[in-house]
Amino acid sequence: GNAEVRLDEMVAAYAAFARGGTFLPPRFVAGAPSVAPRTLVSPRTAFWITDVLSDADARAFAFGRGGSLEFPFEVAAKTGTSQAYHDNWAIGYTRAVTVGVWVGNFDRTPLVGSSGVMGAGPIFHAVMLAAANRAGEALPDPIDAATSATPVRTSRQTICALSGLPAGPDCPNQEEEWVPDDGPRAACDWHRRTPRGIVVD
């Protein structure tokens, strides 16, 4: 909440995740010379970050469901609120478009209780819908729809919601997640069945 970063810098960084980890500096004039792309993160990292930022269920604990960060197509999104409410942000992307919104006062006076999800969020929602429509965004089904990256050396597995390890037979809460194929193989042993029920060791 304290770093001085421009909106165009943030949008360019998030767009790199949409491109599978490839960074391109923004151009502000049509026809301006292009700059050679460079790899910012690996495709697998871009895929994982996108999966996290696209997870509406993960956001539900803090934001609830049905808010300005949910769309009828896959969108990876993040909000932010600077310290003392000086400004707030909402940035997100699909494979076709990246949208960034800044909300604040030009004299840097604090906003009154306005966070990223309440201030920039609704504007972001409207602009993203319009931008996706203009780009001819389809309503994609694949889980990696917000990035061009594919889940390299990654597979969908059932994990224990508490430990994050492959689910064992006694794990009471299990979830499906993308995990690295070269990750831990041993099943979760945090839970143990006893006469009193399942306990956590």
Side-chain angles (χ1 to χ4, degrees):
N2 293 318
E4 294 292 336
V5 182
R6 298 198 314 263
L7 180 61
D8 64 298
E9 294 173 329
M10 289 290 286
V11 170
Y14 275 75
F17 298 132
R19 294 190 193 96
T22 301
F23 176 79
L24 282 172
R27 291 185 293 170
F28 299 99
V29 179
S34 60
V35 179
R38 62 187 176 92
T39 300
L40 187 65
V41 297
S42 71
R44 185 161 77 160
T45 298
F47 175 82
W48 274 335
I49 290 174
T50 299
D51 183 53
V52 170
L53 296 180
S54 304
D55 192 342
D57 290 333
R59 286 193 295 262
F61 178 78
F63 299 132
R65 296 301 304 264
S68 57
L69 299 184
E70 292 198 36
F71 294 85
F73 47 87
E74 200 76 23
V75 175
K78 180 75 175 73
T79 64
T81 307
S82 63
Q83 195 171 59
Y85 293 96
H86 278 288
D87 55 17
N88 57 72
W89 307 63
I91 301 177
Y93 56 90
T94 71
R95 281 179 294 185
V97 295
T98 302
V99 172
V101 174
W102 174 88
V103 169
N105 295 314
F106 291 125
D107 62 1
R108 292 191 56 78
T109 54
L111 302 168
V112 180
S114 176
S115 67
V117 73
M118 294 186 297
I123 303 171
F124 168 80
H125 188 88
V127 174
M128 176 57 81
L129 287 175
N133 181 64
R134 182 175 179 179
E137 189 83 60
L139 303 184
D141 293 327
I143 195 163
D144 62 330
T147 179
S148 63
T150 55
V152 180
R153 302 189 314 281
T154 304
S155 57
R156 196 82 170 156
Q157 297 181 24
T158 303
I159 64 167
C160 170
L162 180 62
S163 70
L165 296 168
D170 296 327
C171 295
N173 297 311
Q174 302 181 13
E175 296 180 357
E176 292 287 320
E177 279 293 349
W178 289 100
V179 299
D181 291 338
D182 50 2
R185 294 292 183 182
C188 173
D189 58 359
W190 288 24
H191 302 91
R192 181 167 47 87
R193 191 176 298 275
T194 72
R196 295 179 290 112
I198 296 175
V199 298
V200 178
D201 289 330

PDB file of all heavy atoms in Angstrom, residues 156-191:
ATOM      1  N   ARG A 156      -4.481 -31.329 -12.075  1.00  0.00           N
ATOM      2  CA  ARG A 156      -5.567 -31.095 -11.136  1.00  0.00           C
ATOM      3  C   ARG A 156      -5.629 -32.287 -10.177  1.00  0.00           C
ATOM      4  O   ARG A 156      -5.761 -33.433 -10.616  1.00  0.00           O
ATOM      5  CB  ARG A 156      -6.870 -30.966 -11.914  1.00  0.00           C
ATOM      6  CG  ARG A 156      -8.009 -30.354 -11.159  1.00  0.00           C
ATOM      7  CD  ARG A 156      -7.938 -28.865 -11.168  1.00  0.00           C
ATOM      8  NE  ARG A 156      -9.165 -28.286 -10.640  1.00  0.00           N
ATOM      9  CZ  ARG A 156      -9.235 -27.091 -10.104  1.00  0.00           C
ATOM     10  NH1 ARG A 156      -8.158 -26.350 -10.007  1.00  0.00           N
ATOM     11  NH2 ARG A 156     -10.368 -26.611  -9.650  1.00  0.00           N
ATOM     12  N   GLN A 157      -5.509 -32.012  -8.882  1.00  0.00           N
ATOM     13  CA  GLN A 157      -5.501 -33.086  -7.900  1.00  0.00           C
ATOM     14  C   GLN A 157      -6.368 -32.720  -6.700  1.00  0.00           C
ATOM     15  O   GLN A 157      -6.654 -31.548  -6.456  1.00  0.00           O
ATOM     16  CB  GLN A 157      -4.068 -33.366  -7.417  1.00  0.00           C
ATOM     17  CG  GLN A 157      -3.126 -33.857  -8.497  1.00  0.00           C
ATOM     18  CD  GLN A 157      -1.735 -34.142  -7.971  1.00  0.00           C
ATOM     19  OE1 GLN A 157      -1.554 -34.396  -6.783  1.00  0.00           O
ATOM     20  NE2 GLN A 157      -0.753 -34.091  -8.840  1.00  0.00           N
ATOM     21  N   THR A 158      -6.759 -33.763  -5.956  1.00  0.00           N
ATOM     22  CA  THR A 158      -7.517 -33.562  -4.729  1.00  0.00           C
ATOM     23  C   THR A 158      -6.535 -33.379  -3.582  1.00  0.00           C
ATOM     24  O   THR A 158      -5.668 -34.217  -3.366  1.00  0.00           O
ATOM     25  CB  THR A 158      -8.428 -34.762  -4.440  1.00  0.00           C
ATOM     26  OG1 THR A 158      -9.298 -34.965  -5.558  1.00  0.00           O
ATOM     27  CG2 THR A 158      -9.269 -34.512  -3.191  1.00  0.00           C
ATOM     28  N   ILE A 159      -6.659 -32.256  -2.868  1.00  0.00           N
ATOM     29  CA  ILE A 159      -5.751 -31.965  -1.766  1.00  0.00           C
ATOM     30  C   ILE A 159      -6.530 -31.780  -0.473  1.00  0.00           C
ATOM     31  O   ILE A 159      -7.741 -31.552  -0.482  1.00  0.00           O
ATOM     32  CB  ILE A 159      -4.915 -30.701  -2.041  1.00  0.00           C
ATOM     33  CG1 ILE A 159      -5.826 -29.464  -2.122  1.00  0.00           C
ATOM     34  CG2 ILE A 159      -4.074 -30.855  -3.299  1.00  0.00           C
ATOM     35  CD1 ILE A 159      -5.086 -28.141  -2.083  1.00  0.00           C
ATOM     36  N   CYS A 160      -5.823 -31.868   0.635  1.00  0.00           N
ATOM     37  CA  CYS A 160      -6.400 -31.553   1.936  1.00  0.00           C
ATOM     38  C   CYS A 160      -6.486 -30.042   2.047  1.00  0.00           C
ATOM     39  O   CYS A 160      -5.505 -29.335   1.836  1.00  0.00           O
ATOM     40  CB  CYS A 160      -5.518 -32.126   3.045  1.00  0.00           C
ATOM     41  SG  CYS A 160      -5.972 -31.558   4.707  1.00  0.00           S
ATOM     42  N   ALA A 161      -7.647 -29.525   2.393  1.00  0.00           N
ATOM     43  CA  ALA A 161      -7.834 -28.082   2.470  1.00  0.00           C
ATOM     44  C   ALA A 161      -7.031 -27.446   3.596  1.00  0.00           C
ATOM     45  O   ALA A 161      -6.749 -26.253   3.564  1.00  0.00           O
ATOM     46  CB  ALA A 161      -9.315 -27.758   2.642  1.00  0.00           C
ATOM     47  N   LEU A 162      -6.644 -28.234   4.587  1.00  0.00           N
ATOM     48  CA  LEU A 162      -5.878 -27.686   5.714  1.00  0.00           C
ATOM     49  C   LEU A 162      -4.380 -27.712   5.451  1.00  0.00           C
ATOM     50  O   LEU A 162      -3.699 -26.693   5.604  1.00  0.00           O
ATOM     51  CB  LEU A 162      -6.189 -28.466   6.996  1.00  0.00           C
ATOM     52  CG  LEU A 162      -5.449 -27.995   8.264  1.00  0.00           C
ATOM     53  CD1 LEU A 162      -5.820 -26.567   8.610  1.00  0.00           C
ATOM     54  CD2 LEU A 162      -5.744 -28.936   9.429  1.00  0.00           C
ATOM     55  N   SER A 163      -3.849 -28.836   5.029  1.00  0.00           N
ATOM     56  CA  SER A 163      -2.398 -28.971   4.872  1.00  0.00           C
ATOM     57  C   SER A 163      -1.903 -28.598   3.477  1.00  0.00           C
ATOM     58  O   SER A 163      -0.733 -28.245   3.311  1.00  0.00           O
ATOM     59  CB  SER A 163      -1.961 -30.403   5.173  1.00  0.00           C
ATOM     60  OG  SER A 163      -2.418 -31.291   4.156  1.00  0.00           O
ATOM     61  N   GLY A 164      -2.762 -28.693   2.468  1.00  0.00           N
ATOM     62  CA  GLY A 164      -2.340 -28.468   1.092  1.00  0.00           C
ATOM     63  C   GLY A 164      -1.653 -29.666   0.469  1.00  0.00           C
ATOM     64  O   GLY A 164      -1.232 -29.613  -0.688  1.00  0.00           O
ATOM     65  N   LEU A 165      -1.535 -30.763   1.207  1.00  0.00           N
ATOM     66  CA  LEU A 165      -0.913 -31.991   0.708  1.00  0.00           C
ATOM     67  C   LEU A 165      -1.958 -32.844  -0.004  1.00  0.00           C
ATOM     68  O   LEU A 165      -3.167 -32.617   0.152  1.00  0.00           O
ATOM     69  CB  LEU A 165      -0.310 -32.776   1.878  1.00  0.00           C
ATOM     70  CG  LEU A 165       0.835 -32.090   2.627  1.00  0.00           C
ATOM     71  CD1 LEU A 165       1.146 -32.837   3.921  1.00  0.00           C
ATOM     72  CD2 LEU A 165       2.072 -31.994   1.747  1.00  0.00           C
ATOM     73  N   PRO A 166      -1.515 -33.827  -0.804  1.00  0.00           N
ATOM     74  CA  PRO A 166      -2.498 -34.743  -1.401  1.00  0.00           C
ATOM     75  C   PRO A 166      -3.416 -35.317  -0.324  1.00  0.00           C
ATOM     76  O   PRO A 166      -2.958 -35.713   0.743  1.00  0.00           O
ATOM     77  CB  PRO A 166      -1.608 -35.824  -2.033  1.00  0.00           C
ATOM     78  CG  PRO A 166      -0.328 -35.112  -2.346  1.00  0.00           C
ATOM     79  CD  PRO A 166      -0.129 -34.134  -1.230  1.00  0.00           C
ATOM     80  N   ALA A 167      -4.700 -35.325  -0.599  1.00  0.00           N
ATOM     81  CA  ALA A 167      -5.675 -35.712   0.417  1.00  0.00           C
ATOM     82  C   ALA A 167      -5.496 -37.170   0.841  1.00  0.00           C
ATOM     83  O   ALA A 167      -5.282 -38.056   0.011  1.00  0.00           O
ATOM     84  CB  ALA A 167      -7.090 -35.496  -0.098  1.00  0.00           C
ATOM     85  N   GLY A 168      -5.568 -37.393   2.154  1.00  0.00           N
ATOM     86  CA  GLY A 168      -5.552 -38.740   2.703  1.00  0.00           C
ATOM     87  C   GLY A 168      -6.971 -39.198   2.968  1.00  0.00           C
ATOM     88  O   GLY A 168      -7.925 -38.420   2.878  1.00  0.00           O
ATOM     89  N   PRO A 169      -7.158 -40.441   3.356  1.00  0.00           N
ATOM     90  CA  PRO A 169      -8.519 -40.975   3.550  1.00  0.00           C
ATOM     91  C   PRO A 169      -9.263 -40.316   4.704  1.00  0.00           C
ATOM     92  O   PRO A 169     -10.496 -40.362   4.727  1.00  0.00           O
ATOM     93  CB  PRO A 169      -8.269 -42.461   3.823  1.00  0.00           C
ATOM     94  CG  PRO A 169      -6.856 -42.536   4.302  1.00  0.00           C
ATOM     95  CD  PRO A 169      -6.119 -41.451   3.594  1.00  0.00           C
ATOM     96  N   ASP A 170      -8.553 -39.702   5.654  1.00  0.00           N
ATOM     97  CA  ASP A 170      -9.216 -39.123   6.823  1.00  0.00           C
ATOM     98  C   ASP A 170      -9.329 -37.595   6.758  1.00  0.00           C
ATOM     99  O   ASP A 170      -9.790 -36.976   7.725  1.00  0.00           O
ATOM    100  CB  ASP A 170      -8.464 -39.523   8.100  1.00  0.00           C
ATOM    101  CG  ASP A 170      -8.504 -41.026   8.338  1.00  0.00           C
ATOM    102  OD1 ASP A 170      -9.520 -41.647   7.984  1.00  0.00           O
ATOM    103  OD2 ASP A 170      -7.511 -41.568   8.868  1.00  0.00           O
ATOM    104  N   CYS A 171      -8.914 -36.980   5.662  1.00  0.00           N
ATOM    105  CA  CYS A 171      -9.007 -35.519   5.546  1.00  0.00           C
ATOM    106  C   CYS A 171     -10.473 -35.124   5.390  1.00  0.00           C
ATOM    107  O   CYS A 171     -11.113 -35.501   4.394  1.00  0.00           O
ATOM    108  CB  CYS A 171      -8.198 -35.024   4.353  1.00  0.00           C
ATOM    109  SG  CYS A 171      -6.424 -35.300   4.504  1.00  0.00           S
ATOM    110  N   PRO A 172     -11.032 -34.367   6.336  1.00  0.00           N
ATOM    111  CA  PRO A 172     -12.474 -34.073   6.274  1.00  0.00           C
ATOM    112  C   PRO A 172     -12.844 -33.058   5.200  1.00  0.00           C
ATOM    113  O   PRO A 172     -13.955 -33.117   4.667  1.00  0.00           O
ATOM    114  CB  PRO A 172     -12.777 -33.536   7.676  1.00  0.00           C
ATOM    115  CG  PRO A 172     -11.480 -32.988   8.160  1.00  0.00           C
ATOM    116  CD  PRO A 172     -10.405 -33.837   7.555  1.00  0.00           C
ATOM    117  N   ASN A 173     -11.936 -32.138   4.900  1.00  0.00           N
ATOM    118  CA  ASN A 173     -12.228 -31.108   3.901  1.00  0.00           C
ATOM    119  C   ASN A 173     -11.236 -31.235   2.756  1.00  0.00           C
ATOM    120  O   ASN A 173     -10.029 -31.017   2.942  1.00  0.00           O
ATOM    121  CB  ASN A 173     -12.151 -29.710   4.518  1.00  0.00           C
ATOM    122  CG  ASN A 173     -13.197 -29.504   5.598  1.00  0.00           C
ATOM    123  OD1 ASN A 173     -14.373 -29.799   5.388  1.00  0.00           O
ATOM    124  ND2 ASN A 173     -12.777 -29.021   6.752  1.00  0.00           N
ATOM    125  N   GLN A 174     -11.746 -31.570   1.581  1.00  0.00           N
ATOM    126  CA  GLN A 174     -10.890 -31.776   0.422  1.00  0.00           C
ATOM    127  C   GLN A 174     -11.306 -30.850  -0.705  1.00  0.00           C
ATOM    128  O   GLN A 174     -12.487 -30.517  -0.852  1.00  0.00           O
ATOM    129  CB  GLN A 174     -10.973 -33.240  -0.036  1.00  0.00           C
ATOM    130  CG  GLN A 174     -10.577 -34.221   1.054  1.00  0.00           C
ATOM    131  CD  GLN A 174     -10.645 -35.665   0.589  1.00  0.00           C
ATOM    132  OE1 GLN A 174     -10.755 -35.958  -0.598  1.00  0.00           O
ATOM    133  NE2 GLN A 174     -10.572 -36.593   1.544  1.00  0.00           N
ATOM    134  N   GLU A 175     -10.322 -30.409  -1.488  1.00  0.00           N
ATOM    135  CA  GLU A 175     -10.572 -29.498  -2.594  1.00  0.00           C
ATOM    136  C   GLU A 175      -9.789 -29.945  -3.817  1.00  0.00           C
ATOM    137  O   GLU A 175      -8.759 -30.610  -3.693  1.00  0.00           O
ATOM    138  CB  GLU A 175     -10.156 -28.063  -2.219  1.00  0.00           C
ATOM    139  CG  GLU A 175     -10.950 -27.454  -1.083  1.00  0.00           C
ATOM    140  CD  GLU A 175     -10.484 -26.045  -0.766  1.00  0.00           C
ATOM    141  OE1 GLU A 175      -9.517 -25.579  -1.403  1.00  0.00           O
ATOM    142  OE2 GLU A 175     -11.077 -25.424   0.128  1.00  0.00           O
ATOM    143  N   GLU A 176     -10.282 -29.540  -4.988  1.00  0.00           N
ATOM    144  CA  GLU A 176      -9.549 -29.773  -6.233  1.00  0.00           C
ATOM    145  C   GLU A 176      -8.698 -28.544  -6.517  1.00  0.00           C
ATOM    146  O   GLU A 176      -9.187 -27.423  -6.505  1.00  0.00           O
ATOM    147  CB  GLU A 176     -10.526 -30.004  -7.388  1.00  0.00           C
ATOM    148  CG  GLU A 176     -11.300 -31.294  -7.299  1.00  0.00           C
ATOM    149  CD  GLU A 176     -10.425 -32.503  -7.618  1.00  0.00           C
ATOM    150  OE1 GLU A 176      -9.596 -32.420  -8.548  1.00  0.00           O
ATOM    151  OE2 GLU A 176     -10.562 -33.517  -6.916  1.00  0.00           O
ATOM    152  N   GLU A 177      -7.402 -28.744  -6.759  1.00  0.00           N
ATOM    153  CA  GLU A 177      -6.490 -27.639  -7.044  1.00  0.00           C
ATOM    154  C   GLU A 177      -5.458 -28.063  -8.080  1.00  0.00           C
ATOM    155  O   GLU A 177      -5.175 -29.244  -8.243  1.00  0.00           O
ATOM    156  CB  GLU A 177      -5.754 -27.186  -5.769  1.00  0.00           C
ATOM    157  CG  GLU A 177      -6.543 -26.267  -4.866  1.00  0.00           C
ATOM    158  CD  GLU A 177      -6.819 -24.897  -5.468  1.00  0.00           C
ATOM    159  OE1 GLU A 177      -6.228 -24.564  -6.518  1.00  0.00           O
ATOM    160  OE2 GLU A 177      -7.659 -24.169  -4.917  1.00  0.00           O
ATOM    161  N   TRP A 178      -4.894 -27.061  -8.776  1.00  0.00           N
ATOM    162  CA  TRP A 178      -3.759 -27.308  -9.647  1.00  0.00           C
ATOM    163  C   TRP A 178      -2.508 -27.393  -8.779  1.00  0.00           C
ATOM    164  O   TRP A 178      -2.227 -26.495  -7.998  1.00  0.00           O
ATOM    165  CB  TRP A 178      -3.601 -26.178 -10.659  1.00  0.00           C
ATOM    166  CG  TRP A 178      -4.672 -26.157 -11.699  1.00  0.00           C
ATOM    167  CD1 TRP A 178      -5.780 -25.351 -11.715  1.00  0.00           C
ATOM    168  CD2 TRP A 178      -4.743 -26.955 -12.872  1.00  0.00           C
ATOM    169  NE1 TRP A 178      -6.540 -25.605 -12.822  1.00  0.00           N
ATOM    170  CE2 TRP A 178      -5.918 -26.588 -13.557  1.00  0.00           C
ATOM    171  CE3 TRP A 178      -3.922 -27.951 -13.414  1.00  0.00           C
ATOM    172  CZ2 TRP A 178      -6.295 -27.189 -14.757  1.00  0.00           C
ATOM    173  CZ3 TRP A 178      -4.295 -28.532 -14.614  1.00  0.00           C
ATOM    174  CH2 TRP A 178      -5.474 -28.154 -15.274  1.00  0.00           C
ATOM    175  N   VAL A 179      -1.769 -28.467  -8.891  1.00  0.00           N
ATOM    176  CA  VAL A 179      -0.556 -28.655  -8.098  1.00  0.00           C
ATOM    177  C   VAL A 179       0.583 -29.089  -9.020  1.00  0.00           C
ATOM    178  O   VAL A 179       0.346 -29.674 -10.084  1.00  0.00           O
ATOM    179  CB  VAL A 179      -0.751 -29.696  -6.973  1.00  0.00           C
ATOM    180  CG1 VAL A 179      -1.838 -29.252  -6.004  1.00  0.00           C
ATOM    181  CG2 VAL A 179      -1.100 -31.053  -7.549  1.00  0.00           C
ATOM    182  N   PRO A 180       1.825 -28.819  -8.622  1.00  0.00           N
ATOM    183  CA  PRO A 180       2.963 -29.211  -9.467  1.00  0.00           C
ATOM    184  C   PRO A 180       3.132 -30.726  -9.513  1.00  0.00           C
ATOM    185  O   PRO A 180       3.010 -31.396  -8.492  1.00  0.00           O
ATOM    186  CB  PRO A 180       4.159 -28.531  -8.795  1.00  0.00           C
ATOM    187  CG  PRO A 180       3.734 -28.335  -7.375  1.00  0.00           C
ATOM    188  CD  PRO A 180       2.252 -28.097  -7.414  1.00  0.00           C
ATOM    189  N   ASP A 181       3.418 -31.236 -10.690  1.00  0.00           N
ATOM    190  CA  ASP A 181       3.640 -32.680 -10.822  1.00  0.00           C
ATOM    191  C   ASP A 181       4.879 -33.129 -10.075  1.00  0.00           C
ATOM    192  O   ASP A 181       5.011 -34.304  -9.728  1.00  0.00           O
ATOM    193  CB  ASP A 181       3.766 -33.059 -12.301  1.00  0.00           C
ATOM    194  CG  ASP A 181       2.445 -32.914 -13.038  1.00  0.00           C
ATOM    195  OD1 ASP A 181       1.387 -32.929 -12.374  1.00  0.00           O
ATOM    196  OD2 ASP A 181       2.466 -32.769 -14.275  1.00  0.00           O
ATOM    197  N   ASP A 182       5.815 -32.202  -9.842  1.00  0.00           N
ATOM    198  CA  ASP A 182       7.025 -32.546  -9.113  1.00  0.00           C
ATOM    199  C   ASP A 182       6.923 -32.180  -7.632  1.00  0.00           C
ATOM    200  O   ASP A 182       7.923 -32.060  -6.936  1.00  0.00           O
ATOM    201  CB  ASP A 182       8.251 -31.859  -9.733  1.00  0.00           C
ATOM    202  CG  ASP A 182       8.039 -30.357  -9.941  1.00  0.00           C
ATOM    203  OD1 ASP A 182       6.957 -29.850  -9.571  1.00  0.00           O
ATOM    204  OD2 ASP A 182       8.951 -29.706 -10.467  1.00  0.00           O
ATOM    205  N   GLY A 183       5.702 -31.986  -7.149  1.00  0.00           N
ATOM    206  CA  GLY A 183       5.480 -31.651  -5.745  1.00  0.00           C
ATOM    207  C   GLY A 183       5.446 -32.891  -4.867  1.00  0.00           C
ATOM    208  O   GLY A 183       5.715 -34.004  -5.323  1.00  0.00           O
ATOM    209  N   PRO A 184       5.104 -32.707  -3.580  1.00  0.00           N
ATOM    210  CA  PRO A 184       5.069 -33.856  -2.656  1.00  0.00           C
ATOM    211  C   PRO A 184       4.041 -34.901  -3.081  1.00  0.00           C
ATOM    212  O   PRO A 184       2.946 -34.559  -3.501  1.00  0.00           O
ATOM    213  CB  PRO A 184       4.702 -33.218  -1.310  1.00  0.00           C
ATOM    214  CG  PRO A 184       4.173 -31.867  -1.620  1.00  0.00           C
ATOM    215  CD  PRO A 184       4.743 -31.455  -2.929  1.00  0.00           C
ATOM    216  N   ARG A 185       4.422 -36.163  -2.971  1.00  0.00           N
ATOM    217  CA  ARG A 185       3.545 -37.261  -3.368  1.00  0.00           C
ATOM    218  C   ARG A 185       2.871 -37.928  -2.174  1.00  0.00           C
ATOM    219  O   ARG A 185       1.826 -38.537  -2.313  1.00  0.00           O
ATOM    220  CB  ARG A 185       4.359 -38.305  -4.138  1.00  0.00           C
ATOM    221  CG  ARG A 185       4.900 -37.815  -5.474  1.00  0.00           C
ATOM    222  CD  ARG A 185       3.780 -37.588  -6.454  1.00  0.00           C
ATOM    223  NE  ARG A 185       4.263 -37.195  -7.769  1.00  0.00           N
ATOM    224  CZ  ARG A 185       3.487 -36.905  -8.787  1.00  0.00           C
ATOM    225  NH1 ARG A 185       2.179 -36.968  -8.647  1.00  0.00           N
ATOM    226  NH2 ARG A 185       3.977 -36.547  -9.941  1.00  0.00           N
ATOM    227  N   ALA A 186       3.497 -37.851  -1.000  1.00  0.00           N
ATOM    228  CA  ALA A 186       2.938 -38.523   0.171  1.00  0.00           C
ATOM    229  C   ALA A 186       1.619 -37.875   0.565  1.00  0.00           C
ATOM    230  O   ALA A 186       1.465 -36.653   0.552  1.00  0.00           O
ATOM    231  CB  ALA A 186       3.926 -38.456   1.332  1.00  0.00           C
ATOM    232  N   ALA A 187       0.650 -38.708   0.916  1.00  0.00           N
ATOM    233  CA  ALA A 187      -0.669 -38.205   1.312  1.00  0.00           C
ATOM    234  C   ALA A 187      -0.594 -37.494   2.656  1.00  0.00           C
ATOM    235  O   ALA A 187       0.298 -37.755   3.476  1.00  0.00           O
ATOM    236  CB  ALA A 187      -1.666 -39.351   1.380  1.00  0.00           C
ATOM    237  N   CYS A 188      -1.518 -36.590   2.881  1.00  0.00           N
ATOM    238  CA  CYS A 188      -1.578 -35.837   4.134  1.00  0.00           C
ATOM    239  C   CYS A 188      -1.724 -36.804   5.319  1.00  0.00           C
ATOM    240  O   CYS A 188      -2.552 -37.711   5.298  1.00  0.00           O
ATOM    241  CB  CYS A 188      -2.754 -34.882   4.086  1.00  0.00           C
ATOM    242  SG  CYS A 188      -3.068 -34.013   5.639  1.00  0.00           S
ATOM    243  N   ASP A 189      -0.911 -36.582   6.350  1.00  0.00           N
ATOM    244  CA  ASP A 189      -1.028 -37.395   7.563  1.00  0.00           C
ATOM    245  C   ASP A 189      -1.341 -36.530   8.784  1.00  0.00           C
ATOM    246  O   ASP A 189      -1.058 -36.895   9.909  1.00  0.00           O
ATOM    247  CB  ASP A 189       0.258 -38.195   7.787  1.00  0.00           C
ATOM    248  CG  ASP A 189       1.492 -37.296   7.906  1.00  0.00           C
ATOM    249  OD1 ASP A 189       1.352 -36.053   7.805  1.00  0.00           O
ATOM    250  OD2 ASP A 189       2.601 -37.842   8.090  1.00  0.00           O
ATOM    251  N   TRP A 190      -1.909 -35.344   8.523  1.00  0.00           N
ATOM    252  CA  TRP A 190      -2.256 -34.441   9.626  1.00  0.00           C
ATOM    253  C   TRP A 190      -3.482 -34.929  10.392  1.00  0.00           C
ATOM    254  O   TRP A 190      -3.671 -34.570  11.546  1.00  0.00           O
ATOM    255  CB  TRP A 190      -2.531 -33.038   9.096  1.00  0.00           C
ATOM    256  CG  TRP A 190      -1.320 -32.299   8.627  1.00  0.00           C
ATOM    257  CD1 TRP A 190      -0.131 -32.810   8.185  1.00  0.00           C
ATOM    258  CD2 TRP A 190      -1.191 -30.884   8.527  1.00  0.00           C
ATOM    259  NE1 TRP A 190       0.719 -31.818   7.819  1.00  0.00           N
ATOM    260  CE2 TRP A 190       0.096 -30.614   8.017  1.00  0.00           C
ATOM    261  CE3 TRP A 190      -2.047 -29.813   8.806  1.00  0.00           C
ATOM    262  CZ2 TRP A 190       0.553 -29.321   7.792  1.00  0.00           C
ATOM    263  CZ3 TRP A 190      -1.592 -28.523   8.581  1.00  0.00           C
ATOM    264  CH2 TRP A 190      -0.301 -28.281   8.086  1.00  0.00           C
ATOM    265  N   HIS A 191      -4.338 -35.693   9.735  1.00  0.00           N
ATOM    266  CA  HIS A 191      -5.598 -36.124  10.343  1.00  0.00           C
ATOM    267  C   HIS A 191      -5.519 -37.596  10.723  1.00  0.00           C
ATOM    268  O   HIS A 191      -4.978 -38.410   9.979  1.00  0.00           O
ATOM    269  CB  HIS A 191      -6.764 -35.882   9.389  1.00  0.00           C
ATOM    270  CG  HIS A 191      -6.898 -34.446   8.977  1.00  0.00           C
ATOM    271  ND1 HIS A 191      -6.291 -33.935   7.855  1.00  0.00           N
ATOM    272  CD2 HIS A 191      -7.570 -33.417   9.550  1.00  0.00           C
ATOM    273  CE1 HIS A 191      -6.581 -32.645   7.747  1.00  0.00           C
ATOM    274  NE2 HIS A 191      -7.349 -32.310   8.759  1.00  0.00           N
TER     275      HIS A 191
END
